[in-house]
Amino acid sequence: MAQHSTFDIQRSEHPRTAEERAAILDNPGFGRYFTDHMVVIDYEEGKGWHNHRVVPYGPFSVDPAYMVLHYGQAIFEGLKAYRHADGEIVTFRPAANAARFQASAERMAMPKLSEEDFIDSIKELVTIDQDWVPQPGGEECLYLRPFMFATETGLGVHPAKKFTYVLIGSPAGAYFAHGVQPVTVWVSHEYVRACPGGTGSAKFAGNYAASLAAQDAADKQGCDQVLWLDAIKRENIEEMGGMNVMFVAQDGDDVTVITPALSGSLLPGITRDSLKTVAQDLGYKLEERVITLTELADRVAKGEITEAFACGTAAVINPIGTFKSRDGEFTVNEGKSGDITLKMRATLTGIQRGERADDHNWLYKLV
Ligand SMILES: *Cc1c(COP(=O)(O)O)cnc(C)c1O
């Protein structure tokens, strides 16, 4: 039997009014506003996870010697809560996020939070702040951000013995306010995101810090995002650094979805994993393997690879129009969103929003 901890609940004395909340939900953007509460759980070696609580959202007091500020032990997750037409509020495959949070913790020498605590924390926050989950009918949702960081004080380099787990919620608007928009990517030969034996398969905060200079380089090239290659050969396509990638090859009526195999240095996305199943459900072939930039460019030129897209929780699926690198550029599907891409997107978002059958039991009822 799962051990469920009791959460101490301290309600906010100054929650936003219904009018203030409605104004925010009208145009939430992404990651700009937060709900009235947050969940906090403490960890200390010898004591384990304790002091499970729901408290008003607000700043922490931070000791300057917190180890996270010096040596960076910090991991996170990202998932969404959706309100269905029947009033239920659900989330998508939370056990997969819980398992990945544990895998990230293990890689960063941090303690594992149980799946029960992880999912219970989500239930607690979404229950108390359920009015922050946008109405059904559109792409709006409540984005959930679980994270954990080292709170032991001291400058000695060793795995910390104290940590804090926090869950916050942020209403998110439609990712594509004006229809699904293909992005242009900069293929980075100069920088790498992750390497064999490194931290690339953990949802580790530092992976993002390490990617920002390359993101600046992409901006300078007029590109929206970075596409990362493997660290050794700088040839195998890995991922986007916040989203995984997939390609569509077509031969007559035969459709094959190709995605880079998990190499140890790319992040095992839950959207990626779900879309592998969706592709097969739609009758497409699936290839999970090494795909090089050379193969991609050649097969796009021959008209064999017809669509490319990035996938992750935030945008679900984001088509890729143009690939630019130091060696030149090429465009897929005339820079437009492809039919297979949009069909896969509609299928997955339909399941998440309760508009299509959830044949794989991916939805988890929160409220
Ligand atoms: C979170 C993340 C993804 C996407 O994972 P999902 O579970 O699909 O949201 C892909 N790459 C990186 C580096 C990530 O941090």
Side-chain angles (χ1 to χ4, degrees):
M1 272 295 285
Q3 289 294 305
H4 291 273
S5 300
T6 313
F7 287 72
D8 201 55
I9 295 174
Q10 185 198 335
R11 284 191 164 269
S12 169
E13 285 174 17
H14 309 282
R16 255 67 56 85
T17 64
E19 293 70 34
E20 287 168 331
R21 195 173 55 237
I24 291 171
L25 290 179
D26 206 38
N27 182 21
F30 181 80
R32 292 194 289 139
Y33 302 99
F34 299 92
T35 68
D36 292 315
H37 298 86
M38 61 185 183
V39 176
V40 185
I41 313 177
D42 296 321
Y43 176 88
E44 192 173 338
E45 199 177 272
K47 211 169 165 187
W49 290 101
H50 61 281
N51 201 5
H52 299 60
R53 57 204 189 273
V54 179
V55 294
Y57 181 96
F60 297 110
S61 98
V62 173
D63 190 293
Y66 268 2
M67 284 173 66
V68 66
L69 300 177
H70 303 272
Y71 308 127
Q73 276 179 297
I75 57 172
F76 67 98
E77 271 301 324
L79 64 171
K80 288 174 167 176
Y82 312 89
R83 189 187 296 276
H84 284 182
D86 63 4
E88 272 189 8
I89 299 174
V90 305
T91 189
F92 185 75
R93 303 187 66 185
N97 293 90
R100 188 170 64 188
F101 198 55
Q102 292 187 345
S104 298
E106 188 156 36
R107 177 62 185 83
M108 305 314 299
M110 295 164 77
K112 289 184 191 171
L113 185 75
S114 70
E115 179 184 313
E116 290 73 35
D117 276 353
F118 185 90
I119 294 179
D120 286 350
S121 74
I122 293 171
K123 275 193 194 156
E124 292 288 344
L125 185 68
V126 172
T127 300
I128 198 164
D129 283 336
Q130 56 188 273
D131 292 342
W132 287 91
V133 183
Q135 290 304 312
E139 293 228 335
E140 295 81 3
C141 61
L142 182 67
Y143 181 80
L144 300 165
R145 168 54 61 90
F147 59 106
M148 192 210 304
F149 53 95
T151 50
E152 182 180 337
T153 54
L155 301 182
V157 179
H158 58 84
K161 294 182 172 66
K162 286 174 79 174
F163 292 88
T164 298
Y165 166 81
V166 189
L167 171 67
I168 55 177
S170 176
Y175 193 87
F176 296 104
H178 308 285
V180 176
Q181 297 292 330
V183 292
T184 297
V185 299
W186 174 248
V187 186
S188 178
H189 283 87
E190 185 183 8
Y191 298 107
V192 293
R193 187 190 86 93
C195 61
T199 57
S201 65
K203 232 169 154 65
F204 161 51
N207 290 340
Y208 283 76
S211 75
L212 298 175
Q215 182 62 42
D216 274 352
D219 286 344
K220 290 203 181 78
Q221 298 293 337
C223 295
D224 303 298
Q225 289 194 32
V226 180
L227 179 70
W228 298 99
L229 300 174
D230 74 283
I232 308 293
K233 295 195 299 176
R234 311 276 165 106
E235 178 61 11
N236 303 339
I237 294 172
E238 293 234 303
E239 64 159 303
M240 302 271 280
M243 301 178 94
N244 296 110
V245 287
M246 294 195 169
F247 306 99
V248 178
Q250 279 170 290
D251 181 8
D253 288 341
D254 261 14
V255 175
T256 305
V257 173
I258 307 167
T259 194
L262 297 179
S263 61
S265 55
L266 63 92
L267 198 287
I270 294 159
T271 315
R272 172 189 178 279
D273 187 67
S274 307
L275 287 171
K276 281 167 44 185
T277 301
V278 166
Q280 288 167 304
D281 287 351
L282 290 171
Y284 309 151
K285 285 186 205 139
L286 177 77
E287 291 180 7
E288 203 178 354
R289 60 172 172 84
V290 169
I291 174 164
T292 64
L293 184 61
T294 309
E295 176 187 346
L296 177 66
D298 287 351
R299 294 189 70 195
V300 168
K302 285 186 193 142
E304 293 172 4
I305 289 183
T306 51
E307 302 180 20
F309 61 86
C311 58
T313 296
V316 188
I317 282 183
N318 197 345
I320 305 172
T322 297
F323 294 79
K324 279 193 194 181
S325 76
R326 59 168 196 207
D327 303 328
E329 66 178 84
F330 55 93
T331 294
V332 183
N333 197 35
E334 298 166 341
K336 293 183 303 219
S337 304
D339 292 343
I340 307 287
T341 302
L342 293 178
K343 197 165 164 184
M344 288 179 67
R345 188 172 199 279
T347 304
L348 187 56
T349 57
I351 295 169
Q352 290 169 335
R353 299 191 170 277
E355 292 152 6
R356 283 177 196 244
D358 175 26
D359 293 331
H360 303 287
N361 284 318
W362 283 337
L363 300 184
Y364 184 96
K365 183 176 182 287
L366 294 168
V367 178

